[in-house]
Amino acid sequence: MIAVTGSAGKTTTKEMIASILERKWKVYKTKDNMNLPAYIDKQSKEISSKHRAVVLEYGMSKAGHIRKSCQLIKPNIGVVTMVGAAHIGNFGGSIRRVAQAKSELIRGMNQSGMLFLNADDRNSRYLTTKDFRGKVFTVSLYQKAEYRASRIAFTETGMSFSVEINRKLIRFHIPAFGKHNIYNALFAIGVARQLGISVDTIRKGLENYQKPDRRLVVYRLRKDVKVIDDTFSANPQAAQAAVDVLAQIGKGKRIFVLGDMLELGRYSEKGHQIVGAYAARNKVHHLLTYGRASRHARNAAVSSGLSSVQARHFNDRRALHAALYRLTTPSTTILVKGSHKMRMNQTVKYISNEVGSRNRSDTRRRAERKNEAGKKR
């Protein structure tokens, strides 16, 4: 019984673990991101003796949700991906209170089981682990850990990295971008290794896991225009991670479109300011914000170096799209992010349809002019 929680990375980590274990066993996994207690209760009735492994995603929007899920299905393997500001508005703006709510997994799981934590996440130090009697494993990119990634390289289709296993450096590849996804893969590698899964099986599972929709999905249009769709959800840490991906794969003009990040409560203004300043410092050429709270991101970006022409705020989606249409030139990479309720996927569709069709029309017109010139000769 494997349960995954955390402020970000739950669904991807769950999918990676399940993809590996499915190559050996009959596995039950959480459908999509149906991770609140009501869904866990329903799923508990679908698990049977034919399943050798169960991989579940435990989410929360308030204290007590994860505790309830553990009462319904008690895990013996727990993963806490990281502790961040998602839903922090429901916890009085306190990251420590978010950590305590995430700690419900540690207290509610089998106390002689296995727990996996992120050694690089500063907020994970607030998790309650002192009374846990089982085995604790850590993952890291930057410091000593049981599962540590090194020699990270970006490829056309994703990322490659090495992990030391049985005193040998083993190379892995995932079809995803963003260093945060390497943490997710490290959790999957760690869980699988502790369950005795071979390196080859792990490698195949990671290369073929089911990538969640609207989470850093890259669409390639004509004229080397790329769109990064990260519109499923948003919080400040996830937004900064998405900006890192934009900086890493955007070779020409880089545009960041940010819709409001919701459920931040008193932390909303500060959270948006952090993201705006981060974008200005990390190779974003244009920041376009949409909504009410995201104007704080735009203002922080201007204070951090972007001009008022480069950083603009919109309250009207059509005006936002018109600005995007004008800004998008060949070799432009556009990151679109925002909370689910902001429906920023509409902007992704606009770019794909309108800008993509414009590029096709431009190509067709050039071909026609070339044909006409040939006829005259």
Side-chain angles (χ1 to χ4, degrees):
M1 295 290 191
I2 303 161
V4 182
T5 193
S7 298
K10 292 186 294 296
T11 303
T12 300
T13 301
K14 176 254 301 182
E15 290 293 345
M16 288 179 170
I17 294 172
S19 179
I20 295 168
L21 301 188
E22 283 169 344
R23 279 158 174 73
K24 185 175 181 180
W25 299 324
K26 180 72 174 178
V27 174
Y28 182 92
K29 68 178 182 179
T30 296
K31 295 176 177 62
D32 301 319
N33 68 319
M34 297 179 178
N35 55 32
L36 293 178
Y39 295 119
I40 302 301
D41 186 28
K42 181 181 178 182
Q43 291 170 55
S44 68
K45 299 173 177 63
E46 299 174 353
I47 299 168
S48 70
S49 58
K50 69 182 179 181
H51 296 111
R52 287 289 308 279
V54 175
V55 190
L56 302 171
E57 181 180 333
Y58 283 6
M60 68 172 200
S61 60
K62 63 180 181 179
H65 275 167
I66 296 175
R67 180 176 66 249
K68 177 65 175 176
S69 292
C70 286
Q71 291 169 349
L72 293 164
I73 302 177
K74 189 171 188 174
N76 46 35
I77 297 176
V79 177
V80 184
T81 59
M82 56 89 70
V83 178
H87 308 296
I88 197 171
N90 297 337
F91 296 89
S94 169
I95 201 72
R96 289 175 182 263
R97 289 176 60 184
V98 173
Q100 286 305 301
K102 297 295 183 188
S103 296
E104 292 174 10
L105 173 65
I106 302 171
R107 294 190 294 269
M109 66 180 286
N110 186 320
Q111 293 300 288
S112 59
M114 292 184 284
L115 175 65
F116 291 80
L117 301 176
N118 186 334
D120 294 340
D121 177 42
R122 288 178 57 82
N123 293 333
S124 287
R125 67 189 176 201
Y126 300 129
L127 293 168
T128 304
T129 59
K130 63 179 181 179
D131 294 328
F132 182 72
R133 301 187 304 274
K135 294 182 179 179
V136 179
F137 301 90
T138 54
V139 305
S140 174
L141 270 61
Y142 305 111
Q143 54 190 306
K144 186 177 180 180
E146 282 77 17
Y147 298 94
R148 182 177 183 271
S150 61
R151 299 169 59 191
I152 298 168
F154 282 75
T155 69
E156 188 66 23
T157 58
M159 296 177 295
S160 295
F161 58 95
S162 297
V163 180
E164 185 176 324
I165 297 176
N166 293 336
R167 298 184 179 182
K168 292 182 180 179
L169 272 182
I170 307 297
R171 200 74 176 156
F172 295 96
H173 180 269
I174 55 175
F177 296 100
K179 288 185 178 179
H180 60 288
N181 276 318
I182 295 179
Y183 288 108
N184 299 336
L186 288 172
F187 283 123
I189 292 167
V191 169
R193 285 301 297 165
Q194 292 305 312
L195 293 175
I197 307 298
S198 71
V199 167
D200 285 342
T201 301
I202 294 172
R203 187 182 285 118
K204 291 175 184 176
L206 289 178
E207 288 175 349
N208 296 282
Y209 80 95
Q210 183 176 324
K211 291 185 287 185
D213 292 336
R214 296 166 56 189
R215 292 175 175 88
L216 290 173
V217 177
V218 179
Y219 298 103
R220 289 173 167 80
L221 309 180
R222 290 177 180 267
K223 295 188 178 180
D224 199 29
V225 172
K226 293 191 286 286
V227 183
I228 306 172
D229 181 355
D230 199 27
T231 61
F232 187 82
S233 62
N235 63 65
Q237 288 85 359
Q240 289 175 83
V243 169
D244 289 340
V245 174
L246 175 62
Q248 288 152 355
I249 72 171
K251 303 304 180 185
K253 183 190 296 181
R254 291 176 288 274
I255 302 173
F256 179 21
V257 182
L258 175 66
D260 287 354
M261 298 181 289
L262 305 177
E263 296 188 10
L264 297 181
R266 293 185 302 177
Y267 189 74
S268 180
E269 181 174 342
K270 181 179 179 182
H272 283 88
Q273 288 172 342
I274 288 171
V275 173
Y278 191 82
R281 295 194 303 265
N282 286 272
K283 302 180 181 179
V284 170
H285 297 121
H286 294 272
L287 172 65
L288 307 183
T289 57
Y290 170 73
R292 300 174 73 176
S294 60
R295 72 179 188 277
H296 298 300
R298 181 266 175 193
N299 294 341
V302 172
S303 298
S304 300
L306 290 187
S307 71
S308 57
V309 174
Q310 292 174 293
R312 298 175 60 192
H313 181 72
F314 297 87
N315 294 308
D316 179 79
R317 197 184 298 270
R318 286 178 297 181
L320 166 68
H321 290 175
L324 265 176
Y325 191 88
R326 291 190 297 270
L327 284 173
T328 305
T329 54
S331 300
T332 295
T333 302
I334 307 163
L335 164 65
V336 186
K337 189 161 185 64
S339 286
H340 191 77
K341 291 181 180 179
M342 293 302 295
R343 299 189 296 174
M344 299 307 293
N345 58 315
Q346 293 184 9
T347 296
V348 173
K349 291 178 182 177
Y350 173 83
I351 298 167
S352 300
N353 294 334
E354 298 302 321
V355 176
S357 64
R358 179 183 68 183
N359 289 345
R360 287 191 292 272
S361 297
D362 290 346
T363 302
R364 187 162 54 248
R365 281 195 293 270
R366 281 200 306 273
E368 290 171 353
R369 286 197 295 269
K370 186 175 180 180
N371 288 336
E372 286 298 321
K375 291 177 182 178
K376 290 179 181 179
R377 286 197 296 269

